Amino acid sequence: MTATHIPGPGPITVLTGIARQGFLDTVGMAWREHGDTFRLRLGVGEMVIAMHPDAVREVNLTERRSFDKRKSYDGVRKYLTGEGLIASTGDLWKRQRKLMAPYFTPRGVRAYARVMLTDTLRVSERWDGLADAGTTIEMGEEMMELTASIIVQALFGTSADHDIVRLKDCVETMIRFTTRRMGPHLPSWVPTRAVREYTAARDEVHAYIRRVIAERRAQVDPPADDLLAKLMDARDDDGQPMSESLLRDESITMFFAGHETTARTMAATWAALAENPAVADRLGAEIDEVLGDRDPTVEDLHALPYALQVVKEVLRLYPAAPFYVRDAVAPTQVSGFGIKEGTPVMLAPYFTHRHPEFWDDPERFDPDRFTPVAEAGRHPQAYHPFATGERVCIGNHLSLLESHLLLVVLARRFRPQLVGPPPRWVMEGVLAPEGGLPMRIERR
């Protein structure tokens, strides 16, 4: 039997809660009061939020045809990714996913390990000086610069610092603008400073990608081997290549998804290790046993399983995307509640990963939750930092490889420490430490 009334707090309670304590804590309070599935009224609209792994399975798998990325992603499509894979739908999404999938398999992403290793070793050399000076750094920005450099080189084959810095700054301007459009805002035709900055950043990114595409088309010998070149060579079942606008949109999508989320995961990893010294000790012991005094190679990673377990536990407690939305495209149900067509359903990895039915002492940081035996015995949708089902993030293998390798390279020599109290995590479009993440680099 399908229930028609979905419980949830009133709109005043929601708006007051968000104003006082932020969206993340407001959702957590509503979960505790109203159960695993509830609705939130925000202004004139409402959404349904579902926490239980069974609901995650319904939305992403068993009732998949009743959900898609529609109105909830209009802002992302308009201001950031265009028709890139994150926000595209229907036949276009299927075509693009099929074209791009071969480059993001576990084997395919190993092509970028050399760039990851080279750039991270460069950071390691710089951290030597920071450790000597006792300098306090902003760890989030530190990791953003590293992952931006990696993805720009992987995408466009350039190691020019100016290109990397400008693209990073411009795309982050676009991301901030897009995130702010999700709340109350003036029409985009009002020429505010934010609109002017966004427009300039967007135009610069689009011009850069057009220029690189033109260079690739003119290049004969030697052929480029970066990801953009591979996408330009890809052909669908009818022998058709991607259009220039799709190449641009997919490039922006990969830059956005390929550096910000991994950077936030790595920043959270250093904070978690600083707060859990026994875990840091065990990680260091594994690295020392496998590597001794040498730097790692990608082939070493299979012998460093605890390091990967650390990354996975960070993704459990601090998923960069703490929520994601699917829009109902037909009447359906979630957790026994009727869902009307057009209703956005928000899934919440941040809270599903803390569900007490599936996680013992859920706030405790414990990488042993991700041993092969532990993973095999868990509900498959109790853990979904990259979503799940058909629309699982295509870059999940790239992100895990990059996070695993970066952690091993830097944790072999350094043990960053928090400056000040442990961070409070808040929702800023993505999960972020309120007020930043100041840390000091110390040698092991």
Side-chain angles (χ1 to χ4, degrees):
M1 182 176 178
T2 302
T4 56
H5 176 70
I6 304 175
I12 300 300
T13 299
V14 173
L15 294 174
T16 301
I18 292 173
R20 290 178 177 175
Q21 58 205 21
F23 186 78
L24 199 65
D25 287 348
T26 299
V27 170
M29 290 180 63
W31 179 32
R32 289 189 290 273
E33 183 175 351
H34 298 285
D36 282 340
T37 302
F38 55 92
R39 51 119 184 93
L40 283 188
R41 292 177 180 166
L42 299 167
V44 296
E46 70 173 37
M47 66 173 57
V48 173
I49 301 184
M51 308 298 196
H52 198 281
D54 286 349
V56 177
R57 180 168 54 199
E58 284 180 313
V59 173
N60 286 297
L61 295 163
T62 59
E63 300 297 322
R64 160 75 179 91
R65 302 304 165 203
S66 297
F67 294 95
D68 208 340
K69 295 184 174 183
R70 295 287 177 87
K71 187 175 181 180
S72 296
Y73 288 80
D74 283 351
V76 173
R77 274 187 288 269
K78 182 175 181 180
Y79 296 112
L80 185 58
T81 66
E83 294 296 339
L85 204 58
I86 283 180
S88 61
T89 61
D91 289 341
L92 175 62
W93 174 82
K94 292 177 183 177
R95 173 185 181 273
Q96 291 297 99
R97 181 84 181 203
K98 186 175 181 179
L99 277 174
M100 296 170 66
Y103 308 117
F104 291 93
T105 62
R107 182 176 180 179
V109 299
R110 288 169 67 94
Y112 313 110
R114 180 188 58 79
V115 171
M116 297 173 189
L117 185 59
T118 300
D119 265 30
T120 310
L121 288 172
R122 176 179 52 79
V123 169
S124 181
E125 293 175 2
R126 189 164 57 78
W127 277 17
D128 267 329
L130 295 174
D132 288 339
T135 304
T136 296
I137 62 169
E138 169 46 52
M139 185 58 80
E141 185 62 23
E142 190 81 6
M143 292 295 99
M144 286 281 191
E145 291 178 4
L146 173 56
T147 59
S149 177
I150 290 169
I151 195 64
V152 169
Q153 291 180 72
L155 257 176
F156 303 123
T158 180
S159 57
D161 287 344
H162 177 266
D163 286 349
I164 292 168
V165 171
R166 284 302 303 154
L167 280 171
K168 169 185 170 294
D169 291 346
C170 287
V171 173
E172 289 177 2
T173 296
M174 294 169 68
I175 293 169
R176 284 193 302 271
F177 183 82
T178 304
T179 300
R180 289 168 183 161
R181 306 300 286 181
M182 295 177 185
H185 60 268
L186 293 171
S188 56
W189 51 261
V190 178
T192 63
R193 178 179 176 181
V195 168
R196 293 194 301 273
E197 290 175 348
Y198 162 79
T199 303
R202 179 202 61 199
D203 291 349
E204 187 167 344
V205 170
H206 288 191
Y208 179 85
I209 296 172
R210 282 197 303 272
R211 186 167 68 251
V212 176
I213 290 172
E215 291 170 356
R216 292 289 180 277
R217 296 200 194 284
Q219 190 169 347
V220 177
D221 186 39
D225 191 38
D226 52 52
L227 187 50
L228 177 62
K230 292 174 181 176
L231 295 183
M232 290 176 68
D233 288 340
R235 296 294 183 271
D236 64 17
D237 293 339
D238 295 327
Q240 296 300 310
M242 287 190 205
S243 66
E244 184 161 321
S245 64
L246 271 177
L247 286 169
R248 178 201 66 205
D249 292 347
E250 297 297 6
S251 296
I252 295 171
T253 297
M254 287 184 287
F255 186 91
F256 156 56
H259 100 282
E260 185 180 37
T261 53
T262 303
R264 292 188 182 279
T265 297
M266 286 308 305
T269 300
W270 298 121
L273 291 173
E275 292 182 69
N276 296 274
V279 173
D281 289 343
R282 185 172 163 188
L283 172 65
E286 179 186 72
I287 293 171
D288 291 344
E289 180 179 354
V290 173
L291 299 177
D293 291 331
R294 67 179 175 83
D295 293 317
T297 66
V298 70
E299 288 75 20
D300 290 315
L301 294 182
H302 75 277
L304 295 158
Y306 189 70
L308 182 58
Q309 290 170 213
V310 168
V311 171
K312 289 181 175 181
E313 178 69 343
V314 170
L315 287 165
R316 181 184 74 85
L317 281 173
Y318 312 109
F323 304 95
Y324 60 92
V325 178
R326 299 291 184 263
D327 298 304
V329 297
T332 185
Q333 66 176 37
V334 172
S335 306
F337 293 103
I339 304 295
K340 297 178 182 179
E341 181 179 350
T343 302
V345 176
M346 178 176 278
L347 301 175
Y350 183 90
F351 292 107
T352 304
H353 295 174
R354 288 167 162 78
H355 201 298
E357 286 184 35
F358 304 94
W359 304 96
D360 180 49
D361 191 8
E363 294 291 341
R364 178 169 52 91
F365 189 85
D366 180 10
D368 281 334
R369 302 178 196 274
F370 293 95
T371 64
V373 171
E375 287 187 296
R378 188 175 300 128
H379 190 303
Q381 279 72 50
Y383 183 69
H384 56 124
F386 299 104
T388 186
E390 277 186 352
R391 295 207 68 145
V392 66
C393 174
I394 197 173
N396 62 340
H397 299 302
L398 180 66
S399 179
L400 286 172
L401 173 65
E402 186 175 2
S403 300
H404 195 181
L405 191 57
L406 268 57
L407 175 60
V408 170
V409 170
L410 295 173
R412 186 178 77 79
R413 297 177 59 188
F414 304 101
R415 195 158 169 171
Q417 298 298 324
L418 290 166
V419 175
R424 175 177 179 261
W425 298 90
V426 296
M427 175 72 172
E428 295 179 356
V430 292
L431 193 69
E434 187 177 43
L437 191 59
M439 300 192 77
R440 186 174 294 114
I441 305 300
E442 295 183 0
R443 288 194 183 88
R444 284 184 59 217

